[in-house]
């Protein structure tokens, strides 16, 4: 595996999105497996198959859905709506159908977006047997009355729900979970960009030995997270922090949604990193609607898991439509999202609480060579102040992040000062 470098991140992630875009994904099926096969070329994955009918918390793993072909053809045999042109053209989880019917009858099974007549909507019917097609309003408007051949060559049968994990081992067994959903078909921002950012974040973390163990979860939305939680009850207590990645490649500014707790460490870290970076951003409060943060944050688990996106779900007109295409996402936006994740996890990995081992008066730093070690640095005065702040607040109650925020000093400077003081045996974790 080639090492991750600072150059070309965005282009590499965009190339991954391009590869994944044509695949037809749903909450189960071969499209999910094909997606994970491709992601597995970038990071090794442990793939799990959970049989239909398995009880997972209050849910049951559904039947597996697969589709080979689907179309609406006019009286000449011309396909006026064709699944081969876009996986969005079929209502997700459509049961098989083979019939001929008049347009008046067919209309009840057609979904359009009248406000955006050239776009195709994304619609599903996971838990109710139904069939349908999604098409542009302008296509529907151009269809003459008459008979149409309708065919959906799909199967809905007992099978499996598929999800995958990738683990970056850390110095401790406490975990950070990073989750992205793999159930959407040809939607570039929601959530292929999230998959790409998570994949390259995993590769970047693997090039160092992080403090925490990082567990990356690639699973279908809602039912996938619920299945993972049900199957990992003994592991949940190890999850100390988490981040759900979604809508990671659009042109909007970054948005962080707090965990249900509102003041979890990941919430504090994301606020600090976004503010310190001076990037345009928004921080929103938790709501029990959205992506899989609501499963990880459900009251019984109450994990410290937030969500990072650019424009949030349903916050842009292109959301869940054919306009969420390869032109809607950019290498630059994905690279920016990745950079914030890396900055945040660097803070999370170094955020400790220390105890001052020489708390009575200020210890003499000069005779320990701590001031001499700073000689020639452009930020010598700042580094000296960081040492004094760390010593002052190392009472076992204040984290380095709190030291950085209270002092107004960069977190990296504070963390470096703490490392120097720890090596001089003036503080301990």
């Amino acid at each position: 595996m080639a090492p991750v470098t600072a150059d070309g991140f965005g282009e590499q992630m965009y190339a991954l999105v391009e590869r994944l875009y044509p695949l037809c994904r749903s909450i189960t099926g071969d499209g999910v497996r094909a997606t994970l096969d491709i992601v597995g070329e970038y990071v090794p994955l442990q793939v799990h198959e959970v049989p239909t009918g398995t009880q997972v918390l209050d849910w049951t793993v559904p039947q597996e859905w697969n589709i080979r072909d689907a179309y609406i053809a006019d009286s000449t045999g011309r396909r006026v709506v064709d699944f081969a042109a876009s996986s969005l053209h079929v209502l997700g989880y459509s049961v098989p159908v083979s019939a001929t019917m008049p347009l008046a009858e067919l209309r009840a099974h057609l979904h359009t977006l009248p406000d955006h007549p050239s776009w195709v909507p994304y619609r599903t019917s996971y838990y109710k047997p139904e069939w349908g097609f999604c098409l542009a309003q302008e296509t529907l408007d151009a269809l003459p009355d008459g008979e149409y051949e309708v065919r959906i060559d799909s199967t809905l049968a007992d099978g499996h729900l598929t999800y995958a994990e990738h683990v970056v081992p850390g110095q401790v067994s406490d975990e950070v979970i990073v989750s992205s959903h793999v159930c959407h078909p040809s939607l570039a921002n929601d959530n292929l960009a999230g998959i790409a950012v998570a994949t390259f974040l995993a590769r970047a973390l693997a090039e160092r030995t992080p403090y925490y163990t990082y567990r990356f979860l690639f699973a279908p939305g809602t039912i996938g997270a619920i299945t993972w939680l049900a199957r990992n009850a003994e592991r949940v207590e190890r999850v100390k922090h988490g981040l759900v990645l979604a809508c990671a490649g659009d042109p909007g500014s970054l948005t962080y949604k707090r965990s249900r707790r509102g003041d979890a460490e990941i919430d504090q870290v994301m606020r600090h990193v976004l503010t310190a970076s001076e990037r345009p951003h928004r921080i929103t409060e938790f709501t029990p609607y959205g992506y899989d943060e609501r499963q990880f944050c459900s009251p019984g688990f109450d994990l410290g898991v937030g969500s990072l996106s650019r424009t949030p779900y349903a916050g842009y007109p292109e959301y869940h439509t054919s306009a969420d295409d390869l032109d809607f996402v950019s290498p630059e936006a994905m690279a920016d999202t990745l950079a914030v994740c890396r900055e945040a996890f660097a803070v999370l990995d170094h955020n400790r609480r220390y105890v001052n081992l020489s708390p009575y008066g200020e210890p003499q730093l000069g005779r320990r060579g701590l001031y001499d070690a700073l000689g020639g640095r452009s930020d010598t005065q700042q580094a000296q102040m960081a040492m004094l702040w760390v010593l002052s607040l190392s009472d076992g109650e204040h984290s380095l992040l709190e030291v950085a925020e209270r002092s107004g000093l960069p977190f990296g400077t504070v963390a470096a000062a703490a490392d120097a003081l720890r090596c001089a045996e003036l503080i301990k974790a």
Side-chain angles (χ1 to χ4, degrees), residues 49 60 75 79 123 129 144-145 166 172 214 223 227 326 341 347-348 356 384 393 414:
E49 298 274 12
T60 304
S75 58
R79 294 190 177 193
R123 299 287 185 269
D145 289 334
H166 170 75
V172 298
Y214 285 81
I223 186 64
T227 299
L326 294 172
C341 291
V347 173
L348 198 63
N356 189 334
Q384 290 175 349
L393 295 179
V414 170

Side-chain angles (χ1 to χ4, degrees), residues 100-168:
T100 299
M101 63 186 67
L103 180 60
E105 181 181 345
L106 178 57
R107 283 182 181 274
H109 298 276
L110 302 181
H111 304 271
T112 65
L113 292 167
D115 291 342
H116 297 281
S118 65
W119 297 356
V120 177
Y122 163 54
R123 299 287 185 269
T124 63
S125 183
Y126 294 142
Y127 301 104
K128 178 183 178 182
E130 183 60 273
W131 65 267
F133 288 86
C134 299
L135 65 161
Q137 181 66 45
E138 60 188 22
T139 301
L140 177 58
D141 292 342
L143 296 181
D145 289 334
E147 296 288 310
Y148 289 86
E149 180 189 0
V150 179
R151 178 166 174 76
I152 297 178
D153 181 12
S154 65
T155 55
L156 190 60
D158 287 353
H160 296 83
L161 178 145
T162 309
Y163 71 91
E165 296 173 284
H166 170 75
V167 176
V168 179

Side-chain angles (χ1 to χ4, degrees), residues 284-301:
T284 63
E285 297 303 318
F286 176 81
T287 63
Y289 185 76
Y291 292 110
D292 283 332
E293 68 278 356
R294 70 188 195 271
Q295 310 307 333
F296 299 116
C297 292
S298 56
F301 297 108

Side-chain angles (χ1 to χ4, degrees), residues 182-401:
V182 296
C183 53
H184 285 15
S186 297
L187 300 174
N189 194 45
D190 181 22
N191 186 43
L192 297 182
I195 295 171
V197 170
T199 300
F200 278 82
L201 178 59
R203 293 184 65 183
L205 287 170
E207 293 193 345
R208 60 181 177 86
T209 302
Y211 178 73
Y212 289 107
T213 292
Y214 285 81
R215 182 174 299 275
F216 288 80
L217 177 62
F218 300 91
T222 304
I223 186 64
I226 286 172
T227 299
W228 186 88
L229 287 165
R231 287 164 55 87
N232 290 273
E234 79 291 345
R235 188 191 305 281
V236 166
E237 65 180 16
R238 298 187 200 170
V239 178
K240 305 305 179 184
H241 320 283
L243 192 64
V244 172
L245 289 172
C247 301
D250 68 80
S253 57
L254 284 159
T255 300
Y256 176 72
K257 175 182 173 183
R258 296 180 189 269
S259 70
R260 176 179 175 269
R261 299 180 193 172
D263 62 350
E265 191 171 343
I266 188 67
D267 302 326
Q268 299 169 25
V269 167
M270 290 304 305
R271 177 180 56 78
H272 174 82
V273 167
L274 288 169
T275 301
S277 73
E278 299 185 346
R279 288 176 172 90
H281 68 275
R282 291 195 308 152
I283 295 178
T284 63
E285 297 303 318
F286 176 81
T287 63
Y289 185 76
Y291 292 110
D292 283 332
E293 68 278 356
R294 70 188 195 271
Q295 310 307 333
F296 299 116
C297 292
S298 56
F301 297 108
D302 195 24
L303 300 177
V305 177
S307 176
L308 182 67
S309 61
R310 302 194 73 84
T311 307
Y313 60 89
Y316 51 97
E318 297 85 356
Y319 178 77
H320 279 192
T321 78
S322 59
D324 185 353
D325 59 14
L326 294 172
D327 291 331
F328 186 61
V329 298
S330 71
E332 295 77 16
M334 284 186 280
D336 185 53
T337 306
L338 176 61
V340 166
C341 291
R342 295 181 72 182
E343 292 167 25
F345 288 164
V347 173
L348 198 63
D349 268 348
H350 290 88
N351 193 30
R352 306 277 189 281
R353 286 175 168 80
Y354 288 97
V355 174
N356 189 334
L357 298 178
S358 182
Y360 300 101
E362 180 182 307
Q364 190 175 7
L365 302 180
R367 71 178 175 85
R368 291 177 170 86
L370 292 173
Y371 281 150
D372 293 340
L374 301 175
R377 288 179 50 160
S378 59
D379 62 343
T380 298
Q381 185 175 2
Q382 192 177 66
Q384 290 175 349
M385 285 303 301
M387 287 189 184
L388 297 177
W389 272 107
V390 171
L391 286 168
S392 179
L393 295 179
S394 289
D395 53 7
E397 300 295 328
H398 293 85
S399 68
L400 292 185
L401 180 57

